Amino acid sequence: MTTVELNDTVVNYRRRGSGPPVVLLHGLAEDLRSWEAVAAHLGEFTVYTLDLRGHGHTTPGEGAGTLSQLSDDLTAFLGTMTGPAAVVGYSLGGAIGLKAATDPRTLIGHLIVAATSSVVGTAAAEFFASRIAQLETGDWDGFAAGLRDDTAKQVVTAVDIDALAARRIDAVGDGRGYINAARAMIGIRTEPLNPLLAQIRVPVDVIGASSDLFCPRRASDIIVEGVDGCRYHEVAGSGHLLSVDQPDAYGKLLAQLLHERGPA
């Protein structure tokens, strides 16, 4: 493990390769391991993967349950570890990247968001709230069963769902990071990012998955319509978990986009 103290957390991260810096942000109930197969296609860059607050081996600190706090965590990482860099955010990580990119002083030089929403609907907010309740009441069996069911709905290829769900449970740790991030996602139900998208001045690319039940095409379209010069790209044959269903196609697309726009 390589760690750095940032804000009120000790952040676990991995650095590999050489070249322009690229920071990869995972989704809810994941950790830096989720990028392994994808990062293999980014050999021309210095790739940083990290565990978000309370996920994997990063400490939870005092979670505020806000996207602003998670965005500040990203800003601190960029300021301390990389300087100006490209950022790739998946799902939760994409929402964090969008929030950070609204800051006119952002160190993000190019943002790519995948399977990301800028607003959360009622059904999604209730979903997050139910998972929070399970963790807060100690219903780990219920949470684990629910996460397994959720995981099965997020892939369309033949994979070992039990092994994948077990890895995601491991990434959740004691649950504090999941609760904190889920509360942050609920927060963009009442305070969506949509009105802030026009403030983003860095190049943005949006990646969708052809069979994503959790983040449908309309979610991508909202971001594309809201950010000046934003482009949409789609990975075929994938559900929400792009890095599981189509890691090679996903990784090659990321490499292409980073080359086209420049990583920072």
Side-chain angles (χ1 to χ4, degrees):
M1 271 197 317
T2 305
T3 61
V4 59
E5 293 187 22
L6 297 173
N7 295 331
D8 62 333
T9 65
V10 178
V11 178
N12 178 53
Y13 72 95
R14 180 178 178 187
R15 178 185 185 273
R16 75 195 79 183
S18 61
V22 179
V23 177
L24 308 183
L25 304 178
H26 63 75
L28 189 64
E30 293 192 316
D31 57 24
L32 59 78
R33 292 174 295 175
S34 66
W35 290 108
E36 289 300 314
V38 176
H41 295 277
L42 305 179
E44 297 180 47
F45 304 95
T46 300
V47 177
Y48 293 83
T49 52
L50 61 145
D51 292 337
L52 297 177
R53 175 182 291 259
H55 286 71
H57 293 287
T58 292
T59 60
E62 294 295 328
T66 66
L67 198 61
S68 292
Q69 183 186 50
L70 297 174
S71 170
D72 289 345
D73 289 344
L74 170 59
T75 298
F77 188 86
L78 296 175
T80 302
M81 301 302 301
T82 69
V87 171
V88 179
Y90 163 75
S91 197
L92 166 66
I96 294 169
L98 287 172
K99 178 64 174 175
T102 65
D103 186 337
R105 300 163 298 174
T106 185
L107 291 173
I108 299 174
H110 176 198
L111 177 63
I112 303 174
V113 299
T116 295
S117 296
S118 55
V119 62
V120 166
T122 301
E126 292 175 349
F127 164 85
F128 290 130
S130 67
R131 292 290 182 262
I132 290 171
Q134 287 175 320
L135 290 173
E136 289 185 327
T137 58
D139 181 12
W140 276 98
D141 289 342
F143 179 82
L147 185 64
R148 187 200 181 284
D149 290 343
D150 302 338
T151 300
K153 295 173 183 176
Q154 293 180 51
V155 294
V156 296
T157 56
V159 298
D160 186 337
I161 297 297
D162 289 330
L164 179 57
R167 190 185 75 186
R168 299 186 75 203
I169 285 289
D170 184 58
V172 169
D174 66 8
R176 286 183 289 172
Y178 184 102
I179 291 170
N180 185 62
R183 284 180 176 153
M185 292 304 292
I186 291 173
I188 61 173
R189 166 65 178 158
T190 53
E191 296 183 22
L193 293 169
N194 299 351
L196 304 178
L197 296 178
Q199 299 176 19
I200 297 176
R201 293 291 178 264
V202 303
V204 177
D205 286 283
V206 176
I207 297 176
S210 62
S211 301
D212 192 342
L213 300 178
F214 288 72
C215 187
R217 174 63 187 267
R218 180 56 187 153
S220 295
D221 288 343
I222 290 172
I223 299 171
V224 172
E225 292 163 6
V227 180
D228 187 43
C230 188
R231 307 181 301 181
Y232 176 76
H233 317 268
E234 188 167 282
V235 175
S238 181
H240 189 65
L241 285 170
L242 286 144
S243 63
V244 174
D245 274 334
Q246 298 295 338
D248 293 333
Y250 186 22
K252 289 175 183 177
L253 177 57
L254 289 177
Q256 173 191 327
L257 297 179
L258 289 167
H259 281 296
E260 286 177 359
R261 297 261 205 179

